[in-house]
mmCIF file of all heavy atoms in Angstrom:
data_model
loop_
_atom_site.group_PDB
_atom_site.id
_atom_site.type_symbol
_atom_site.label_atom_id
_atom_site.label_comp_id
_atom_site.label_asym_id
_atom_site.label_seq_id
_atom_site.Cartn_x
_atom_site.Cartn_y
_atom_site.Cartn_z
ATOM 1 N N ALA A 2 0.828 -1.205 0.000
ATOM 2 C CA ALA A 2 0.000 0.000 0.000
ATOM 3 C C ALA A 2 0.864 1.258 0.000
ATOM 4 O O ALA A 2 0.584 2.217 -0.717
ATOM 5 C CB ALA A 2 -0.924 -0.004 1.219
ATOM 6 N N ILE A 3 1.943 1.253 0.804
ATOM 7 C CA ILE A 3 2.818 2.423 0.889
ATOM 8 C C ILE A 3 3.511 2.679 -0.445
ATOM 9 O O ILE A 3 3.556 3.808 -0.936
ATOM 10 C CB ILE A 3 3.859 2.238 2.018
ATOM 11 C CG1 ILE A 3 3.170 2.271 3.383
ATOM 12 C CG2 ILE A 3 4.933 3.327 1.927
ATOM 13 C CD1 ILE A 3 4.099 1.974 4.541
ATOM 14 N N VAL A 4 4.055 1.616 -1.049
ATOM 15 C CA VAL A 4 4.770 1.764 -2.323
ATOM 16 C C VAL A 4 3.825 2.253 -3.416
ATOM 17 O O VAL A 4 4.146 3.174 -4.175
ATOM 18 C CB VAL A 4 5.420 0.427 -2.744
ATOM 19 C CG1 VAL A 4 5.944 0.512 -4.168
ATOM 20 C CG2 VAL A 4 6.554 0.081 -1.789
ATOM 21 N N THR A 5 2.650 1.649 -3.503
ATOM 22 C CA THR A 5 1.691 2.041 -4.545
ATOM 23 C C THR A 5 1.236 3.472 -4.365
ATOM 24 O O THR A 5 1.158 4.250 -5.322
ATOM 25 C CB THR A 5 0.473 1.106 -4.537
ATOM 26 O OG1 THR A 5 0.919 -0.250 -4.625
ATOM 27 C CG2 THR A 5 -0.445 1.393 -5.709
ATOM 28 N N ALA A 6 0.909 3.831 -3.130
ATOM 29 C CA ALA A 6 0.468 5.201 -2.860
ATOM 30 C C ALA A 6 1.593 6.200 -3.133
ATOM 31 O O ALA A 6 1.353 7.291 -3.669
ATOM 32 C CB ALA A 6 -0.002 5.327 -1.417
ATOM 33 N N ALA A 7 2.839 5.833 -2.785
ATOM 34 C CA ALA A 7 3.979 6.725 -3.028
ATOM 35 C C ALA A 7 4.174 6.947 -4.523
ATOM 36 O O ALA A 7 4.424 8.077 -4.962
ATOM 37 C CB ALA A 7 5.250 6.136 -2.419
ATOM 38 N N LEU A 8 4.037 5.875 -5.310
ATOM 39 C CA LEU A 8 4.160 6.006 -6.764
ATOM 40 C C LEU A 8 3.072 6.914 -7.319
ATOM 41 O O LEU A 8 3.320 7.755 -8.188
ATOM 42 C CB LEU A 8 4.072 4.628 -7.425
ATOM 43 C CG LEU A 8 5.290 3.716 -7.250
ATOM 44 C CD1 LEU A 8 5.001 2.334 -7.824
ATOM 45 C CD2 LEU A 8 6.512 4.316 -7.938
ATOM 46 N N ALA A 9 1.860 6.742 -6.791
ATOM 47 C CA ALA A 9 0.745 7.567 -7.265
ATOM 48 C C ALA A 9 0.977 9.039 -6.932
ATOM 49 O O ALA A 9 0.763 9.924 -7.766
ATOM 50 C CB ALA A 9 -0.559 7.084 -6.647
ATOM 51 N N ILE A 10 1.441 9.309 -5.703
ATOM 52 C CA ILE A 10 1.675 10.692 -5.281
ATOM 53 C C ILE A 10 2.822 11.316 -6.082
ATOM 54 O O ILE A 10 2.737 12.477 -6.502
ATOM 55 C CB ILE A 10 1.976 10.744 -3.772
ATOM 56 C CG1 ILE A 10 0.713 10.344 -2.986
ATOM 57 C CG2 ILE A 10 2.429 12.138 -3.368
ATOM 58 C CD1 ILE A 10 0.950 10.167 -1.508
ATOM 59 N N CYS A 11 3.888 10.537 -6.325
ATOM 60 C CA CYS A 11 5.012 11.051 -7.119
ATOM 61 C C CYS A 11 4.567 11.367 -8.542
ATOM 62 O O CYS A 11 4.943 12.397 -9.109
ATOM 63 C CB CYS A 11 6.151 10.025 -7.143
ATOM 64 S SG CYS A 11 7.028 9.868 -5.567
ATOM 65 N N GLY A 12 3.778 10.455 -9.109
ATOM 66 C CA GLY A 12 3.271 10.693 -10.455
ATOM 67 C C GLY A 12 2.417 11.942 -10.514
ATOM 68 O O GLY A 12 2.508 12.746 -11.458
ATOM 69 N N PHE A 13 1.593 12.114 -9.509
ATOM 70 C CA PHE A 13 0.734 13.308 -9.426
ATOM 71 C C PHE A 13 1.579 14.565 -9.314
ATOM 72 O O PHE A 13 1.310 15.573 -9.983
ATOM 73 C CB PHE A 13 -0.194 13.167 -8.221
ATOM 74 C CG PHE A 13 -1.066 14.361 -7.983
ATOM 75 C CD1 PHE A 13 -2.236 14.534 -8.695
ATOM 76 C CD2 PHE A 13 -0.718 15.305 -7.032
ATOM 77 C CE1 PHE A 13 -3.043 15.647 -8.479
ATOM 78 C CE2 PHE A 13 -1.519 16.417 -6.808
ATOM 79 C CZ PHE A 13 -2.686 16.576 -7.533
ATOM 80 N N ALA A 14 2.631 14.523 -8.498
ATOM 81 C CA ALA A 14 3.492 15.693 -8.299
ATOM 82 C C ALA A 14 4.228 16.052 -9.585
ATOM 83 O O ALA A 14 4.340 17.234 -9.946
ATOM 84 C CB ALA A 14 4.491 15.426 -7.169
ATOM 85 N N VAL A 15 4.743 15.030 -10.274
ATOM 86 C CA VAL A 15 5.451 15.278 -11.533
ATOM 87 C C VAL A 15 4.497 15.871 -12.567
ATOM 88 O O VAL A 15 4.837 16.824 -13.277
ATOM 89 C CB VAL A 15 6.073 13.972 -12.063
ATOM 90 C CG1 VAL A 15 6.598 14.160 -13.486
ATOM 91 C CG2 VAL A 15 7.209 13.516 -11.148
ATOM 92 N N LEU A 16 3.297 15.282 -12.655
ATOM 93 C CA LEU A 16 2.297 15.786 -13.594
ATOM 94 C C LEU A 16 1.953 17.242 -13.307
ATOM 95 O O LEU A 16 1.887 18.074 -14.217
ATOM 96 C CB LEU A 16 1.033 14.930 -13.501
ATOM 97 C CG LEU A 16 -0.178 15.390 -14.326
ATOM 98 C CD1 LEU A 16 0.156 15.397 -15.807
ATOM 99 C CD2 LEU A 16 -1.378 14.499 -14.039
ATOM 100 N N LEU A 17 1.778 17.570 -12.032
ATOM 101 C CA LEU A 17 1.437 18.939 -11.649
ATOM 102 C C LEU A 17 2.564 19.905 -12.005
ATOM 103 O O LEU A 17 2.315 21.016 -12.516
ATOM 104 C CB LEU A 17 1.148 18.989 -10.150
ATOM 105 C CG LEU A 17 0.668 20.335 -9.594
ATOM 106 C CD1 LEU A 17 -0.633 20.758 -10.271
ATOM 107 C CD2 LEU A 17 0.490 20.248 -8.086
ATOM 108 N N ALA A 18 3.823 19.480 -11.760
ATOM 109 C CA ALA A 18 4.969 20.339 -12.070
ATOM 110 C C ALA A 18 5.067 20.595 -13.573
ATOM 111 O O ALA A 18 5.319 21.732 -14.002
ATOM 112 C CB ALA A 18 6.256 19.695 -11.552
ATOM 113 N N VAL A 19 4.864 19.546 -14.367
ATOM 114 C CA VAL A 19 4.924 19.697 -15.826
ATOM 115 C C VAL A 19 3.823 20.635 -16.312
ATOM 116 O O VAL A 19 4.047 21.525 -17.139
ATOM 117 C CB VAL A 19 4.803 18.322 -16.511
ATOM 118 C CG1 VAL A 19 4.624 18.484 -18.018
ATOM 119 C CG2 VAL A 19 6.043 17.482 -16.223
ATOM 120 N N VAL A 20 2.620 20.427 -15.779
ATOM 121 C CA VAL A 20 1.473 21.260 -16.192
ATOM 122 C C VAL A 20 1.725 22.733 -15.867
ATOM 123 O O VAL A 20 1.511 23.616 -16.709
ATOM 124 C CB VAL A 20 0.187 20.762 -15.504
ATOM 125 C CG1 VAL A 20 -0.945 21.770 -15.685
ATOM 126 C CG2 VAL A 20 -0.228 19.419 -16.072
ATOM 127 N N VAL A 21 2.181 23.001 -14.646
ATOM 128 C CA VAL A 21 2.441 24.388 -14.237
ATOM 129 C C VAL A 21 3.507 25.019 -15.130
ATOM 130 O O VAL A 21 3.366 26.172 -15.580
ATOM 131 C CB VAL A 21 2.862 24.442 -12.759
ATOM 132 C CG1 VAL A 21 3.352 25.846 -12.389
ATOM 133 C CG2 VAL A 21 1.704 24.045 -11.861
ATOM 134 N N SER A 22 4.583 24.264 -15.419
ATOM 135 C CA SER A 22 5.673 24.790 -16.251
ATOM 136 C C SER A 22 5.189 25.118 -17.656
ATOM 137 O O SER A 22 5.487 26.177 -18.204
ATOM 138 C CB SER A 22 6.820 23.776 -16.310
ATOM 139 O OG SER A 22 7.341 23.523 -15.030
ATOM 140 N N VAL A 23 4.430 24.177 -18.237
ATOM 141 C CA VAL A 23 3.934 24.376 -19.610
ATOM 142 C C VAL A 23 3.011 25.582 -19.681
ATOM 143 O O VAL A 23 3.144 26.447 -20.564
ATOM 144 C CB VAL A 23 3.216 23.107 -20.117
ATOM 145 C CG1 VAL A 23 2.475 23.387 -21.410
ATOM 146 C CG2 VAL A 23 4.225 21.981 -20.314
ATOM 147 N N PHE A 24 2.077 25.665 -18.749
ATOM 148 C CA PHE A 24 1.122 26.767 -18.791
ATOM 149 C C PHE A 24 1.781 28.110 -18.497
ATOM 150 O O PHE A 24 1.402 29.130 -19.091
ATOM 151 C CB PHE A 24 -0.038 26.506 -17.822
ATOM 152 C CG PHE A 24 -1.088 25.614 -18.391
ATOM 153 C CD1 PHE A 24 -1.115 24.268 -18.088
ATOM 154 C CD2 PHE A 24 -2.057 26.115 -19.260
ATOM 155 C CE1 PHE A 24 -2.081 23.427 -18.627
ATOM 156 C CE2 PHE A 24 -3.027 25.293 -19.796
ATOM 157 C CZ PHE A 24 -3.040 23.946 -19.488
ATOM 158 N N CYS A 25 2.756 28.112 -17.615
ATOM 159 C CA CYS A 25 3.479 29.367 -17.353
ATOM 160 C C CYS A 25 4.218 29.832 -18.614
ATOM 161 O O CYS A 25 4.233 31.027 -18.942
ATOM 162 C CB CYS A 25 4.471 29.170 -16.209
ATOM 163 S SG CYS A 25 3.701 29.120 -14.576
ATOM 164 N N GLY A 26 4.842 28.874 -19.307
ATOM 165 C CA GLY A 26 5.541 29.213 -20.545
ATOM 166 C C GLY A 26 4.595 29.757 -21.597
ATOM 167 O O GLY A 26 4.898 30.755 -22.275
ATOM 168 N N ILE A 27 3.449 29.100 -21.750
ATOM 169 C CA ILE A 27 2.467 29.547 -22.752
ATOM 170 C C ILE A 27 1.932 30.933 -22.412
ATOM 171 O O ILE A 27 1.832 31.807 -23.283
ATOM 172 C CB ILE A 27 1.321 28.524 -22.857
ATOM 173 C CG1 ILE A 27 1.826 27.226 -23.492
ATOM 174 C CG2 ILE A 27 0.164 29.094 -23.680
ATOM 175 C CD1 ILE A 27 0.819 26.099 -23.506
ATOM 176 N N VAL A 28 1.588 31.150 -21.148
ATOM 177 C CA VAL A 28 1.082 32.466 -20.727
ATOM 178 C C VAL A 28 2.142 33.544 -20.960
ATOM 179 O O VAL A 28 1.841 34.649 -21.437
ATOM 180 C CB VAL A 28 0.659 32.435 -19.242
ATOM 181 C CG1 VAL A 28 0.376 33.845 -18.739
ATOM 182 C CG2 VAL A 28 -0.572 31.566 -19.065
ATOM 183 N N GLY A 29 3.388 33.228 -20.650
ATOM 184 C CA GLY A 29 4.470 34.185 -20.863
ATOM 185 C C GLY A 29 4.616 34.572 -22.330
ATOM 186 O O GLY A 29 4.786 35.760 -22.664
ATOM 187 N N MET A 30 4.526 33.581 -23.209
ATOM 188 C CA MET A 30 4.660 33.862 -24.635
ATOM 189 C C MET A 30 3.451 34.627 -25.173
ATOM 190 O O MET A 30 3.590 35.464 -26.074
ATOM 191 C CB MET A 30 4.846 32.552 -25.403
ATOM 192 C CG MET A 30 6.149 31.833 -25.082
ATOM 193 S SD MET A 30 7.620 32.887 -25.240
ATOM 194 C CE MET A 30 7.595 33.296 -26.976
ATOM 195 N N ILE A 31 2.266 34.348 -24.640
ATOM 196 C CA ILE A 31 1.078 35.105 -25.053
ATOM 197 C C ILE A 31 1.224 36.566 -24.649
ATOM 198 O O ILE A 31 0.904 37.487 -25.420
ATOM 199 C CB ILE A 31 -0.191 34.487 -24.438
ATOM 200 C CG1 ILE A 31 -0.511 33.146 -25.128
ATOM 201 C CG2 ILE A 31 -1.378 35.440 -24.572
ATOM 202 C CD1 ILE A 31 -1.682 32.407 -24.518
ATOM 203 N N ILE A 32 1.737 36.808 -23.445
ATOM 204 C CA ILE A 32 1.957 38.183 -22.987
ATOM 205 C C ILE A 32 2.991 38.880 -23.869
ATOM 206 O O ILE A 32 2.837 40.053 -24.246
ATOM 207 C CB ILE A 32 2.403 38.188 -21.513
ATOM 208 C CG1 ILE A 32 1.260 37.704 -20.605
ATOM 209 C CG2 ILE A 32 2.865 39.583 -21.096
ATOM 210 C CD1 ILE A 32 1.649 37.528 -19.160
ATOM 211 N N ALA A 33 4.055 38.142 -24.227
ATOM 212 C CA ALA A 33 5.092 38.719 -25.094
ATOM 213 C C ALA A 33 4.530 39.061 -26.468
ATOM 214 O O ALA A 33 4.853 40.122 -27.042
ATOM 215 C CB ALA A 33 6.255 37.741 -25.219
ATOM 216 N N SER A 34 3.685 38.168 -26.994
ATOM 217 C CA SER A 34 3.068 38.434 -28.306
ATOM 218 C C SER A 34 2.162 39.649 -28.244
ATOM 219 O O SER A 34 2.153 40.487 -29.170
ATOM 220 C CB SER A 34 2.267 37.193 -28.755
ATOM 221 O OG SER A 34 3.111 36.068 -28.903
ATOM 222 N N ALA A 35 1.390 39.761 -27.174
ATOM 223 C CA ALA A 35 0.535 40.938 -27.011
ATOM 224 C C ALA A 35 1.376 42.205 -26.901
ATOM 225 O O ALA A 35 1.012 43.269 -27.436
ATOM 226 C CB ALA A 35 -0.334 40.771 -25.769
ATOM 227 N N GLY A 36 2.523 42.103 -26.233
ATOM 228 C CA GLY A 36 3.437 43.248 -26.123
ATOM 229 C C GLY A 36 3.972 43.672 -27.476
ATOM 230 O O GLY A 36 4.113 44.880 -27.757
ATOM 231 N N MET A 37 4.263 42.697 -28.363
ATOM 232 C CA MET A 37 4.722 43.018 -29.717
ATOM 233 C C MET A 37 3.658 43.807 -30.479
ATOM 234 O O MET A 37 3.965 44.759 -31.204
ATOM 235 C CB MET A 37 5.060 41.730 -30.473
ATOM 236 C CG MET A 37 6.323 41.035 -29.993
ATOM 237 S SD MET A 37 6.627 39.485 -30.877
ATOM 238 C CE MET A 37 6.850 40.093 -32.558
ATOM 239 N N ILE A 38 2.394 43.387 -30.311
ATOM 240 C CA ILE A 38 1.301 44.094 -30.994
ATOM 241 C C ILE A 38 1.205 45.531 -30.500
ATOM 242 O O ILE A 38 1.058 46.476 -31.296
ATOM 243 C CB ILE A 38 -0.024 43.345 -30.778
ATOM 244 C CG1 ILE A 38 0.032 41.966 -31.449
ATOM 245 C CG2 ILE A 38 -1.192 44.153 -31.331
ATOM 246 C CD1 ILE A 38 -1.176 41.094 -31.161
ATOM 247 N N VAL A 39 1.287 45.711 -29.192
ATOM 248 C CA VAL A 39 1.203 47.060 -28.611
ATOM 249 C C VAL A 39 2.339 47.937 -29.118
ATOM 250 O O VAL A 39 2.142 49.099 -29.541
ATOM 251 C CB VAL A 39 1.219 46.979 -27.073
ATOM 252 C CG1 VAL A 39 1.323 48.385 -26.468
ATOM 253 C CG2 VAL A 39 -0.031 46.280 -26.562
ATOM 254 N N ILE A 40 3.555 47.374 -29.104
ATOM 255 C CA ILE A 40 4.710 48.147 -29.582
ATOM 256 C C ILE A 40 4.559 48.488 -31.067
ATOM 257 O O ILE A 40 4.897 49.580 -31.529
ATOM 258 C CB ILE A 40 6.013 47.357 -29.337
ATOM 259 C CG1 ILE A 40 6.268 47.218 -27.832
ATOM 260 C CG2 ILE A 40 7.201 48.053 -30.013
ATOM 261 C CD1 ILE A 40 7.421 46.311 -27.485
ATOM 262 N N GLY A 41 4.026 47.502 -31.825
ATOM 263 C CA GLY A 41 3.817 47.740 -33.251
ATOM 264 C C GLY A 41 2.843 48.859 -33.503
ATOM 265 O O GLY A 41 3.062 49.717 -34.379
ATOM 266 N N VAL A 42 1.748 48.877 -32.755
ATOM 267 C CA VAL A 42 0.751 49.945 -32.916
ATOM 268 C C VAL A 42 1.364 51.303 -32.585
ATOM 269 O O VAL A 42 1.144 52.305 -33.295
ATOM 270 C CB VAL A 42 -0.478 49.668 -32.027
ATOM 271 C CG1 VAL A 42 -1.408 50.867 -32.009
ATOM 272 C CG2 VAL A 42 -1.209 48.429 -32.511
#
């Protein structure tokens, strides 16, 4: 039970870290793209 639960929690933690990193990167690039439009105008 301990090993299985530990694997599940580790998998969940890794998944959460990947998701946060990906979404932060995407949001950052969207903000940068919007900044390019503003500067262009």
Side-chain angles (χ1 to χ4, degrees):
I3 291 175
V4 170
T5 307
L8 287 174
I10 293 172
C11 288
F13 177 82
V15 170
L16 175 61
L17 184 60
V19 170
V20 168
V21 171
S22 299
V23 169
F24 278 99
C25 284
I27 291 174
V28 170
M30 294 308 297
I31 288 175
I32 293 174
S34 298
M37 288 178 63
I38 295 174
V39 172
I40 294 173
V42 171

